[in-house]
Amino acid sequence: IDFKTTMASVEFPSIFLNASGVNCMTVAEMDEMINAACTGGVVTKSATPQQREGNPQPRYYQLEHGSINSMGLPNAGFPYYLDYVTREHAKPTILSVAGLQMSDNIELLHKIQASEYTGLTELNLSCPNVIGKPQVAYDFEETDALLAEIFSFYTKPLGVKLPPYFDLVHFDQMAAILNKYPLTHINTVNSVGNGLWIDIDTEKVVIKPKQGFGGLGGAMILPTALANVRAFRQRLNPSIKIIGTGGVTSGKDVFMHLLCGADMVSVGTALLHEGVGIFQRLTDELATIMAEKGYTSIEDFRGKVQDF
Ligand SMILES: C=Cc1c(C(=O)O)[nH]c(=O)[nH]c1=O
């Protein structure tokens, strides 16, 4: 069974990607993603105009059923990632960018528009860990204004990385905004913002930044991720594809994301813990499920989750 897929006329040899932020900070990590079996390509760490150290450590902690992080957008800086994605690679790249304010986002997209890069870009509207900065995608007016400004000049393939929403009216409002713009895709969900975990022996929080508040990932956020994938698939123009992210640790989870309508699936927390070998495992497990059910193509079941 081949799991290749096409998004914005870019052919991905597999539906699997890394979640931005995991295994994608350096050339070595991005090359490892591209060279690994069963990956569709690589998504870069969200790039800011300048290189950033990020928040003080410890800023990541593994929980029993997931993770909590307040990395603070550490990255090598926009030129580093633009240079990487502009070079030839065996598989496609998605350049992730995250401004620290509106003007950064506009500036970065002007630079990409003017560059040689013709691949996909993903605008991260959902970083929960830049101290003092709200997630743009929770401000509907700002998101609308930003996309209007961007699409007044940007003509290359562009998607957005969204935070999870938890209210059906918010899905309606956000989808109505997104449907106004020629987006190639949405990537949903980013981490569930500002969770908290405590070590009861020390009675202290487990990460240093933001008094222990950080974005949640991993198995425990799978139900939230599935709801966001399904809700946006139901509401968005079919031309806007969906990268399903959040909570994937097994072929079953991939199958559920696809049933909800995901076109591609990305893996964060589980990739960090298992390494790039996870993509062969997810491929094999998904193929086994499909064989058991008599499906020969993802199109046999994509988006076909049934109501009760
Ligand atoms: C880009 C910053 C992000 C970060 C971070 O660098 O703190 N963590 C996340 O879980 N999601 C993000 O979008």
Side-chain angles (χ1 to χ4, degrees):
I1 302 176
D2 71 38
F3 292 145
K4 73 179 192 301
T5 188
T6 299
M7 198 158 73
S9 70
V10 173
E11 189 165 315
F12 291 81
S14 163
I15 59 169
F16 293 115
L17 294 166
N18 61 297
S20 175
V22 180
N23 215 70
C24 59
M25 289 279 285
T26 64
V27 167
E29 288 181 335
M30 293 185 283
D31 282 349
E32 186 193 33
M33 267 304 298
I34 284 177
N35 297 328
C38 302
T39 61
V42 63
V43 183
T44 73
K45 170 67 183 176
S46 295
T48 51
Q50 273 79 38
Q51 181 266 349
R52 281 172 58 89
E53 291 303 312
N55 289 338
Q57 301 188 19
R59 58 195 189 183
Y60 177 89
Y61 186 87
Q62 184 177 332
L63 302 170
E64 192 176 353
H65 300 296
S67 63
I68 184 168
N69 91 82
S70 184
M71 308 303 284
L73 249 176
N75 73 98
F78 174 74
Y80 181 95
Y81 300 103
L82 179 64
D83 175 66
Y84 182 84
V85 298
T86 307
R87 292 205 300 273
E88 280 301 306
H89 298 285
K91 295 175 185 174
T93 57
I94 299 180
L95 172 60
S96 176
V97 291
L100 299 177
Q101 59 258 334
M102 185 110 146
S103 55
D104 280 355
N105 287 314
I106 302 298
E107 173 203 334
L108 292 174
L109 287 160
H110 270 299
K111 288 182 175 166
I112 300 168
Q113 179 69 22
S115 79
E116 304 293 307
Y117 182 56
T118 58
L120 279 144
T121 294
E122 196 171 274
L123 177 60
N124 184 348
L125 298 176
S126 47
C127 180
N129 299 319
V130 178
I131 294 167
K133 295 285 180 185
Q135 297 192 53
V136 176
Y138 284 160
D139 181 333
F140 296 127
E141 289 70 30
E142 182 172 355
T143 299
D144 197 357
L146 175 59
L147 293 175
E149 167 79 25
I150 287 167
F151 284 107
S152 72
F153 66 85
Y154 199 78
T155 61
K156 296 181 175 179
L158 181 69
V160 289
K161 179 73 172 284
L162 299 177
Y165 298 93
F166 302 93
D167 183 302
L168 297 189
V169 171
H170 289 167
F171 290 132
D172 296 337
Q173 292 170 332
M174 194 58 187
I177 291 168
L178 297 171
N179 278 329
K180 290 164 49 178
Y181 301 101
L183 292 160
T184 58
H185 73 282
I186 67 168
N187 187 331
T188 181
V189 296
N190 205 321
S191 54
V192 173
N194 296 302
L196 187 78
W197 192 252
I198 296 164
D199 175 342
I200 59 168
D201 298 336
T202 63
E203 300 177 19
K204 285 164 65 174
V205 298
V206 295
I207 54 174
K208 183 166 184 163
K210 293 174 49 176
Q211 294 187 294
F213 288 77
L216 304 178
M220 62 185 165
I221 74 161
L222 180 60
T224 292
L226 295 175
N228 279 261
V229 170
R230 187 177 193 207
F232 280 110
R233 187 63 288 160
Q234 291 173 321
R235 291 165 173 81
L236 290 179
N237 298 334
S239 60
I240 302 178
K241 302 289 185 185
I242 298 181
I243 300 177
T245 303
V248 172
T249 65
S250 73
K252 290 188 180 115
D253 306 338
V254 176
F255 187 70
M256 287 193 272
H257 266 274
L258 296 169
L259 272 175
C260 289
D263 296 281
M264 299 186 80
V265 174
S266 63
V267 186
T269 299
L271 168 59
L272 184 64
H273 299 159
E274 188 166 329
V276 294
I278 193 170
F279 296 108
Q280 182 69 63
R281 176 171 70 82
L282 295 175
T283 298
D284 296 344
E285 290 175 359
L286 177 61
T288 301
I289 293 166
M290 288 172 64
E292 284 164 355
K293 290 167 170 284
Y295 293 138
T296 58
S297 160
I298 290 175
E299 293 317 309
D300 295 341
F301 63 93
R302 187 210 310 283
K304 296 184 178 170
V305 60
Q306 298 172 47
D307 293 332
F308 198 81

